Each structure stands twice: as C-alpha cells, then as structure tokens.
Amino acid sequence: MRQSLRLGSISGIPIGINWGLLVIAAFYLVNLAVGILPASSPGASALTYWVFALVGVVAFFASVLAHELGHSLVAQRNGIGVQAITLWLLGGVAVLEREADDPGVEFRIAIAGPIVSVVMAIVFGALAWATSAVVGSAVLVATLGYLALLNLVLAVFNMIPAAPLDGGRVLAAALWKRSNNRHEARARSARAGEIFGTGLLIMAGIGFLFGQGTLVLAILGFFLRTAAGAERRRALGLNALAGATVATTMLPIVPAISRGISVAGLEAMSASYDGPVAFPVRTSHGIEGLVPSTVVSAIRPSEHPHVLVDELEIGWEEFTSARVNEAMETVLARAQISGKNHVLVYDDQGRQVGYLTTTSEFAAV
C-alpha cells in the first residue's frame, strides 16, 4: 500500500496515510455527527456534535495505528524489520521486511494487533463509564462508547480465521506448526479468505436486492477475496519452488544484441538456443539492459517484423540482484521488498549470468 502523505515515524517505522483513508474518515465523521451522537445524546448544538465526531474519528484511526504498531513492534522484537505502516480505506497495513522464521513468531506477530485493539476497547469503555459517573457529558460518553465498540469490532473481525486477516495469520501459524509446511498452511488460510470474501460479496448483493445493501461490505468482500486469492497463488507457487535455487530457474544470459533488431530477429536468434534466454542490449554507451526471449509470446505474430527490442528492453534501474546459488524463496522475498519485478543473477565471480522475473504466479503480489 503506497503512502500518499508521510506523517512521521515511530520506533523507526515510517507512518503515513493513503488518500483512500479520507473516504472512510468522511463516512465515520458524518455517521457520528449526524446520526449516532444526536440520537444517543440529544439536546447539544450541531457544532458540538461535529467537534466530538472529529475527535472520535481521529481517535479511532489512532487506535488503528496502535493496532498496526502492535504487529510491528512484536516483529521488531523478533528481528524482523518494518518498512512502513500505512492507514488507508479499510484500516491499516504494516509492511514487514521479511516473513517469520517459525510458526511461533508468526503467531505472536499476528495476535499482537487484536490484543492491542481489545485493550483499547477496554480503555475507551472504562473512560466512558468514568465520564458518565463523574462528568456526566452525554456527548463525550457516546463518543467514548463508540470508540470502545469500534475497537472491539476491529479486534473480533480481524480474528476471523481467513487470510489476509489477523485470524488467518493465526490459522496459518497453527497449520504450519502441525504440518511443518509454511506455504501449504498459508495457501489453506488464504483459501478460507477467498471463501469469506465471496460470502461478504454475496451478502452485499442480497442486501442490495432488498434495499439493505452496503457499499462498504461489498468493497470489503472484494478486497478480501482479491488479496486472499493473490496470497494463495503466491503460497502455492512458493511451495512448488521449495528447495529450488536460482540456478535451476533463471534464464541464462547469452551474447549481446544491438538496439534496432525486430522481434522477428530476436525470435530467429532465440531458435539457436535450447530454451528461453536473456539477451543483453548493446548501445553506443555500452550494455544498458536486457530483453528476455520470452517477450516474443506477448507480441502478435503479425507485429514481429515491426516491433523493435528497444521497446521491450528492461533497464538496469528496474532490477534487483541475486546470487546463482541462492534459494528462490529468498530471492522472491527480497524482490517483493524492493518492489522490483526483475532479478539480475551473478555467479561467485561477480559475472552476470542469468535473469529472473517475479511476475509469474509464484511472484509476490
């Protein structure tokens, strides 16, 4: 999730928001100021409702941030770096630099967020009770009670055993511990997420048919189903690659070609090799990128004589690197962190010997 606005950092973790957050923030703001607060504490001015609604919305997203910090700080304590925390339309996302090494760590990271949310619910509930007993401000009590309820809902919903929800991570950790197969466990948890997301979409569709549907439920169902599907495909791909090294997967780099060659020429050159290869592309300034022979399949045959390799060249700035004897799982995780889909492979002498792409079904999404 890309940050649109950087807010600062906590414990070395960059904190930011995506502009989609403003959409759901506006929904909560109007819901509080126009609906919940006037209904639960009538008699106050419109300005009072809007001010408390604004405070409530800010406090809720601070609670979401606390939830993500729960995950992140536990990850850091277990030696896993955190790239960023981003608040967005459907809550928050903490991006870890790598995956957990064992199911116990996976479980502790996953459960930390819901625990924080439960604690926040208890704190806001206690404050609402104390305010009601001591201060007697109905609007403040209603705001605090709303915050307690939202945090409780956040905790309970996240503990549904379906990836990518926290409960799905807990389920994956339990399956991983039992089967000793991380990727198979995550694939099964993600499958549960696909089923759950589909269920939410069906509920939203039925609701719309009877005039009771909510767009938020439909968006949530679509997101969960899409994210879970991508996670399941990635887990299955990684499971298939278990034990594979870069050497067994990469395209070998062959002698360079010059810019200006057509795809038809590239196809003819590729025919002299036993399988797919990667061609360095030479310019007057030297080698500036690669063109894998597999790009031919993406071009219509009628266009082969007219499309030049110049249009298909992958520049060096788009690559991350790997060693020829590294495990594929390690390389794919590093590519995911870097945000780059192309991998340049080096041998032990530092020579460029191969090319990988991470955009296949086993790639990070």
Side-chain angles (χ1 to χ4, degrees), residues 6-358:
R6 172 81 177 271
L7 301 179
S9 63
I10 299 175
S11 190
I13 304 168
I15 309 296
I17 65 171
N18 178 275
W19 291 120
L21 176 74
L22 300 180
V23 176
I24 196 66
F27 170 80
Y28 284 131
L29 184 65
V30 173
N31 192 36
L32 265 174
V34 178
I36 293 175
L37 293 182
S40 58
S41 52
S45 66
L47 178 61
T48 298
Y49 292 137
W50 281 101
V51 168
F52 275 92
L54 180 60
V55 171
V57 169
V58 172
F60 173 63
F61 283 107
S63 300
V64 174
L65 174 58
H67 177 107
E68 297 304 327
L69 280 171
H71 294 306
S72 301
L73 295 178
V74 172
Q76 286 184 330
R77 289 190 56 154
N78 285 275
I80 301 174
V82 183
Q83 282 191 305
I85 293 175
T86 303
L87 303 181
W88 71 301
L89 178 66
L90 296 179
V93 176
V95 181
L96 307 185
E97 291 185 350
R98 63 179 179 85
E99 297 179 337
D101 296 321
D102 65 74
V105 173
E106 177 104 333
F107 172 81
R108 290 193 292 273
I109 293 173
I111 201 68
I115 288 175
V116 170
S117 293
V118 169
V119 170
M120 297 293 288
I122 293 172
V123 169
F124 282 122
L127 287 173
W129 176 83
T131 300
S132 177
V134 178
V135 180
S137 171
V139 180
L140 179 56
V141 170
T143 303
L144 291 170
Y146 184 69
L147 288 169
L149 178 62
L150 282 181
N151 273 279
L152 184 59
V153 169
L154 180 64
V156 172
F157 181 78
N158 264 284
M159 282 307 297
I160 293 173
L165 299 174
D166 296 335
R169 307 296 183 206
V170 171
L171 173 62
L175 294 173
W176 178 7
K177 184 175 179 60
R178 188 174 69 178
S179 68
N180 201 32
N181 188 321
R182 167 196 324 209
H183 304 307
E184 182 181 301
R186 288 178 177 169
R188 292 173 64 183
S189 176
R191 182 58 181 154
E194 287 183 288
I195 294 171
F196 179 59
T198 301
L200 291 182
L201 285 171
I202 293 172
M203 289 172 59
I206 294 174
F208 280 121
L209 287 176
F210 290 94
Q212 301 294 324
T214 66
L215 183 60
V216 172
L217 189 64
I219 292 173
L220 186 60
F222 176 78
F223 166 75
L224 289 176
R225 190 179 187 281
T226 302
E231 185 166 327
R232 182 175 65 86
R233 290 190 298 273
R234 177 175 181 266
L236 290 174
L238 287 171
N239 193 46
L241 285 172
T245 65
V246 169
T248 62
T249 313
M250 70 181 189
L251 305 186
I253 292 178
V254 296
I257 59 175
S258 299
R259 282 184 179 169
I261 293 175
S262 69
V263 169
L266 183 72
E267 186 175 20
M269 292 180 187
S270 302
S272 63
Y273 297 98
D274 293 334
V277 295
F279 292 94
V281 180
R282 182 187 295 111
T283 71
S284 57
H285 303 290
I287 304 298
E288 296 194 352
L290 292 177
V291 173
S293 62
T294 50
V295 299
V296 171
S297 62
I299 309 297
R300 288 200 297 268
S302 61
E303 297 180 355
H304 286 189
H306 312 294
V307 178
L308 303 181
V309 296
D310 309 40
E311 304 171 48
L312 308 172
E313 178 186 340
I314 305 165
W316 297 135
E317 70 280 357
E318 299 183 49
F319 283 85
T320 186
S321 63
R323 291 290 179 182
V324 71
N325 56 353
E326 281 192 270
M328 276 299 300
E329 184 176 348
T330 302
V331 174
L332 291 175
R334 185 163 64 247
Q336 180 183 24
I337 293 168
S338 71
K340 297 180 178 180
N341 293 326
H342 305 285
V343 182
L344 189 59
V345 182
Y346 292 84
D347 65 13
D348 293 336
Q349 286 73 48
R351 295 172 299 193
Q352 297 173 356
V353 294
Y355 162 78
L356 290 170
T357 178
T358 66

